[in-house]
Amino acid sequence: MKKQVWNFVLTGGPSAGKTTGLSIMEQSLENRGYYVLIVPETATEVIPTGIRPFNNSLDILTFQYIIFEKQLHKEELYRKVAQMLSAEKVVIIHDRGLIDNKSYISDEQFKKLLSDFSLNEVTARDRYDAVFHLVTAADGAEEFYTLENNPSRTETPEEARRLDKLGISNWTGHSHFRIIDNSTNFERKMERLMCEVYSALGDPVPIETERKYLIKKPDLSILAQRTPITVIDIMQTYLKSSNNIERRVRQRGQNGNFSYYLTEKIDIDSMNRTELERKISEKDYIHYLAEMDSSLSPIVKKRICFVYDSQYFELDLFDFSEDLAIMEIELTNQNSSVNLPDFVDIIKEVTDNPSYRNYHLAKTRTL
């Protein structure tokens, strides 16, 4: 069996249940035969040692450089260790990721920080396979909000909610970003977290439950006034495949910086399909393009990612449509309710209509 290594981020606002979540993830995964490595939260490590912002002229930007350098070094170290292990299935759980540092400095400062470490926002975000955000108890479970288990944190409930929303905004755009809110009790919250974790691992094979809507093409400037958005450029090319398997490669990124993926999908029914996806190098991506299915046009689109009512939506604007677009949300249970954003002009649900799948649109180039 070929070694498999996954890099997951567990993040969230203050008092979100992250410490418990890490413990549950570690034990549950080990019970299923995974070797688990946990990369500790860097700020929590260094602050008790005396390295803290505004201490003896250590300003917040300098502090973030120290945190970022240490965090990056730890991540690279753990990735090397994962390859050294004899275990065939290794999960690295990062207690927060590099993008979380963006919440504490300005956008320009963060951009400069990334550049100084030869990174950009796309490469810093997409270096992880999945990101799981636990919503702070200060948003929906206020009676349980506490900082007693982490002396390095001092946020009020209002500050916790602000940081939580900022964290969600910063990670929005990741291809596998999941938000676990406080709509259930804490025990069920942890169960929902593990459901998302196993779905990302394909253990069992992940079931993608998707709700899809045909909408009027929105004005992005107006949309951005209603909710923070992240715009992702995507080019999707379909490969020669057998009848029951859909294969494609995808270039995905922002501002000329891209990540590359190979995806295989097998239909179960009109709403469900198994999906296996892995990140590939740019060299492999170019190699796979030689297998392009010439009967299908590449899909070129802008994906607008946003969060509404703790739900993660993706809105696709296609290069061939002036008036229409597609909005979708992925669920882990096809019976889950969806609270649709009131600022999107929805024409109809098209979940069960194969004419609105990307594969069909590659044939017709029409919505």
Side-chain angles (χ1 to χ4, degrees):
M1 180 178 176
K2 185 179 179 181
K3 176 186 282 288
Q4 294 176 285
V5 179
W6 292 268
N7 280 274
F8 291 165
V9 172
L10 183 63
T11 186
S15 187
K18 195 158 55 68
T19 301
T20 302
L22 282 170
S23 177
I24 290 174
M25 286 176 71
E26 181 179 21
Q27 295 176 65
S28 298
L29 290 171
E30 287 180 345
N31 288 343
R32 286 212 188 184
Y34 293 88
Y35 193 98
V36 179
L37 296 170
I38 296 179
V39 184
E41 181 179 5
T42 304
T44 301
E45 277 186 320
V46 304
I47 288 176
T49 70
I51 301 176
R52 57 178 67 93
F54 312 115
N55 181 37
N56 289 320
S57 301
L58 190 62
D59 62 83
I60 187 64
L61 183 57
T62 302
F63 177 76
Q64 287 303 320
Y65 266 86
I66 294 169
I67 294 297
F68 200 90
E69 182 175 9
K70 181 175 176 62
Q71 187 169 343
L72 190 60
H73 172 73
K74 287 194 303 181
E75 290 190 6
E76 296 298 339
L77 176 63
Y78 277 73
R79 290 177 189 226
K80 289 180 181 178
V81 170
Q83 294 299 329
M84 296 175 185
L85 295 171
S86 59
E88 295 171 336
K89 299 190 300 181
V90 182
V91 177
I92 305 174
I93 305 173
H94 302 264
D95 187 344
R96 302 199 185 279
L98 294 175
I99 292 295
D100 283 301
N101 296 284
K102 186 180 179 182
S103 296
Y104 301 95
I105 53 180
S106 71
D107 289 350
E108 285 303 311
Q109 287 175 323
F110 187 66
K111 184 177 180 181
K112 175 67 165 55
L113 187 155
L114 289 171
S115 177
D116 288 349
F117 287 95
S118 301
L119 291 168
N120 56 65
E121 197 152 342
V122 173
T123 55
R125 183 180 63 214
D126 292 351
R127 63 192 277 114
Y128 312 102
D129 298 302
V131 180
F132 309 100
H133 179 99
L134 298 175
V135 173
T136 173
D139 185 359
E142 290 82 354
E143 64 272 28
F144 299 107
Y145 182 74
T146 178
L147 300 176
E148 291 182 0
N149 64 334
N150 189 342
S152 298
R153 306 213 70 115
T154 59
E155 296 86 355
T156 64
E158 293 76 15
E159 180 69 0
R161 287 190 287 270
R162 186 190 72 82
L163 286 172
D164 194 272
K165 288 178 171 57
L166 191 56
I168 289 174
S169 176
N170 292 340
W171 282 108
T172 296
H174 191 281
S175 61
H176 198 105
F177 179 44
R178 298 293 183 264
I179 302 167
I180 297 91
D181 63 13
N182 297 302
S183 58
T184 61
N185 62 28
F186 188 73
E187 181 179 3
R188 178 62 184 142
K189 183 180 184 180
M190 293 297 102
E191 291 175 357
R192 287 156 51 217
L193 167 64
M194 290 311 304
C195 182
E196 296 289 3
V197 169
Y198 285 123
S199 178
L201 286 168
D203 184 6
V205 176
I207 300 297
E208 175 189 325
T209 301
E210 185 177 82
R211 300 286 294 274
K212 185 176 293 189
Y213 304 87
L214 180 67
I215 66 171
K216 291 184 179 179
K217 190 173 184 177
D219 183 319
L220 292 189
S221 61
I222 296 175
L223 186 65
Q225 292 173 14
R226 298 298 304 273
T227 183
I229 64 173
T230 298
V231 182
I232 307 292
D233 293 309
I234 294 176
M235 184 166 73
Q236 200 160 281
T237 304
Y238 288 89
L239 309 178
K240 296 174 182 177
S241 308
S242 60
N243 289 333
N244 64 330
I245 299 178
E246 176 187 307
R247 298 172 66 235
R248 72 185 188 205
V249 287
R250 187 164 34 119
Q251 174 182 278
R252 185 180 192 280
Q254 298 166 275
N255 305 316
N257 301 301
F258 295 99
S259 298
Y260 305 91
Y261 303 87
L262 171 67
T263 304
E264 293 185 345
K265 294 188 176 185
I266 303 175
D267 287 340
I268 296 175
D269 55 38
S270 61
M271 285 187 68
N272 298 312
R273 59 174 64 183
T274 61
E275 176 176 333
L276 298 175
E277 181 173 86
R278 63 183 176 91
K279 194 173 182 180
I280 58 176
S281 66
E282 182 178 9
K283 182 179 178 180
D284 286 339
Y285 169 75
I286 294 171
H287 174 78
Y288 276 113
L289 288 178
E291 300 179 37
M292 182 178 67
D293 186 337
S294 59
S295 68
L296 301 171
S297 299
I299 293 289
V300 178
K301 59 186 177 181
K302 287 189 179 296
R303 171 159 289 175
I304 315 304
C305 307
F306 65 93
V307 174
Y308 177 76
D309 194 27
S310 297
Q311 298 173 111
Y312 190 60
F313 289 91
E314 295 176 335
L315 196 159
D316 287 348
L317 309 180
F318 298 89
D319 65 339
F320 54 78
S321 180
E322 293 291 331
D323 305 313
L324 301 174
I326 295 289
M327 183 179 73
E328 59 185 52
I329 180 172
E330 289 185 7
L331 309 168
T332 54
N333 185 328
Q334 71 182 57
N335 295 318
S336 297
S337 60
V338 179
N339 190 8
L340 296 170
D342 56 10
F343 47 81
V344 174
D345 193 346
I346 297 172
I347 298 172
K348 61 180 178 179
E349 182 171 358
V350 295
T351 300
D352 296 328
N353 192 332
S355 298
Y356 294 96
R357 286 187 179 177
N358 282 280
Y359 185 82
H360 186 80
L361 296 177
K363 295 179 180 178
T364 65
R365 291 185 62 78
T366 183
L367 285 175

